[in-house]
Amino acid sequence: MRTLFTLFSLVLLFGGCNIKHPPKDVDLDTLFDTVPAFDANNPVPYDSTFQTLLDKSSYLAPDGNTSDSLHDFSSENFYLDDENKLTFALNKTPASPRTASMLLQKQTWQTKDSEGNFYLSQVRCYKPKKIDAYTWMEVHGLKKLDDNQSIYYNYPLVKLVWKRNFNNLYDHIWAIMTKSTPSESEPKIYEYIDLGPRPDYIFPAEVHIRDNILEVKINYSTMTTQNVSYWEDVPSYFKVGISIEDYNDEGVAATAFSELNFEDNASNVSDITHF
C-alpha cells in the first residue's frame, strides 16, 4: 500500500509541473515578465545595428501618427534597452481603442513575387500583466484605389500573436491566417495555428513568402506552410512591434528584438538565417 501511495504522489508531483498550464490558486497578475525600462541616455535605435531596417521603415506610434524620420527618435514606446535590443512597449489604459507601436515596411510587394519576401527576427515576447493577447508581426494588405478603382484591403493576411489562454492552451504563441478571398464586405474566415508555448527567452521567428507559398518558422522549424494564391494581387508589407487590440485590456506589454530585418532577395536568406 505504501508503494502505491508513493507512486501516486510522484504522478501528482511530476504531472502537475507543466508551467504552460494555467496556474491553480495563483493570481495570474503575479506571474509576468519585467520589461526593460526606457532610458533616455541610451543610443537611439537608428544609431545601432538596426539602421538598415529603419531606413526601410516608418514608425506607427500609439497616438496613430506615422513618422518616416527615425534618425534621432526614441520614446518610451520605441527604444534600445540596456542590451541594445530594439524594444516596443505599450501601456494600455482600460476601455480604450486598439493601440500599437510598430514599424511599417515602406516597400510593398505581392505574395506571388518569385524572389520572395522574408521577415527574419530574433525576438523576445514578454508575458504581460493583465493583458490577454497582443500581436507582434503582421503581413498586412495595403488599402488604396488603383487606376481601375480596384480596392486593396487594409487587414492582415497573417499575424503572429501571443495569447494568455486560448483553446485550452495557456501562454502560447499563434499564427492567425486569413483564409478567405480578399473582400471588404464578405465575412472573413480564419485559421488559428498553434506555434507552441511562448519561449521565456529570445527565439528565432520568421515568415517566408515566395511564389504564393507562406511559411512560418519558429526556432528554425517550419510550423505551417500555406498556399496564399488568393492573396496574390494585394500589395502587402510587414508590420512589426506590438499591438493590443482588445478594448478592455489594460497594462504593460512589450516585445524586444536582438535581430530584425525585412529581406526581398531569396539568395540572401540562407546567410541571414544560417540555414
Side-chain angles (χ1 to χ4, degrees):
M1 177 66 70
R2 179 174 298 175
T3 301
L4 288 175
F5 178 78
T6 302
L7 289 172
F8 180 69
S9 299
L10 288 172
V11 169
L12 286 178
L13 174 63
F14 291 102
C17 289
N18 184 346
I19 62 170
K20 293 305 182 184
H21 285 289
K24 299 292 192 294
D25 302 321
V26 176
D27 183 352
L28 288 180
D29 291 344
T30 67
L31 302 174
F32 60 93
D33 292 326
T34 300
V35 177
F38 168 63
D39 184 345
N41 294 317
N42 286 348
V44 297
Y46 195 82
D47 294 335
S48 72
T49 58
F50 298 102
Q51 184 176 126
T52 300
L53 167 76
L54 298 182
D55 284 337
K56 304 175 185 177
S57 307
S58 300
Y59 174 66
L60 174 64
D63 62 6
N65 290 323
T66 303
S67 174
D68 290 332
S69 180
L70 302 177
H71 292 75
D72 301 314
F73 176 72
S74 66
S75 73
E76 61 184 6
N77 306 113
F78 174 75
Y79 57 92
L80 291 181
D81 69 12
D82 290 338
E83 297 178 342
N84 292 316
K85 296 192 299 294
L86 183 60
T87 303
F88 300 82
L90 291 173
N91 188 355
K92 186 177 180 297
T93 57
S96 60
R98 171 180 177 167
T99 186
S101 172
M102 303 189 88
L103 290 178
L104 314 181
Q105 184 185 20
K106 292 178 182 177
Q107 178 182 343
T108 61
W109 40 267
Q110 293 172 301
T111 60
K112 62 186 177 183
D113 292 350
S114 59
E115 284 296 322
N117 289 275
F118 308 89
Y119 152 78
L120 309 167
S121 74
Q122 298 280 340
V123 59
R124 173 74 190 270
C125 293
Y126 293 100
K127 184 182 178 187
K129 184 178 181 179
K130 295 186 179 180
I131 289 166
D132 286 326
Y134 62 75
T135 298
W136 88 80
M137 197 288 299
E138 300 179 16
V139 174
H140 208 277
L142 181 69
K143 184 175 182 179
K144 68 174 186 178
L145 296 176
D146 64 15
D147 293 339
N148 298 317
Q149 298 298 294
S150 298
I151 297 177
Y152 294 110
Y153 297 95
N154 188 29
Y155 60 87
L157 167 63
V158 63
K159 58 184 181 178
L160 303 185
V161 306
W162 169 82
K163 286 183 173 287
R164 185 182 298 279
N165 203 345
F166 181 72
N167 277 2
N168 296 315
L169 292 172
Y170 175 73
D171 195 12
H172 275 225
I173 55 177
W174 298 81
I176 304 178
M177 290 288 310
T178 300
K179 302 292 289 185
S180 45
T181 301
S183 172
E184 290 285 358
S185 57
E186 296 297 323
K188 297 178 181 63
I189 300 170
Y190 300 106
E191 179 182 0
Y192 289 73
I193 302 160
D194 179 26
L195 303 179
R198 176 191 59 85
D200 295 318
Y201 47 81
I202 291 174
F203 64 96
E206 304 179 3
V207 175
H208 300 185
I209 306 176
R210 185 181 183 186
D211 293 327
N212 280 328
I213 300 299
L214 183 150
E215 185 178 14
V216 177
K217 290 177 173 283
I218 300 294
N219 287 317
Y220 302 122
S221 296
T222 297
M223 308 301 291
T224 185
T225 301
Q226 304 270 338
N227 187 318
V228 293
S229 55
Y230 55 90
W231 196 265
E232 67 175 16
D233 292 325
V234 180
S236 300
Y237 61 97
F238 292 117
K239 296 177 66 173
V240 179
I242 190 165
S243 173
I244 303 172
E245 301 171 16
D246 193 301
Y247 180 79
N248 293 312
D249 267 351
E250 63 172 307
V252 175
T255 59
F257 297 82
S258 61
E259 297 179 25
L260 178 59
N261 199 13
F262 308 137
E263 181 58 62
D264 60 3
N265 190 330
S267 64
N268 294 334
V269 172
S270 58
D271 293 334
I272 294 171
T273 59
H274 310 294
F275 290 161

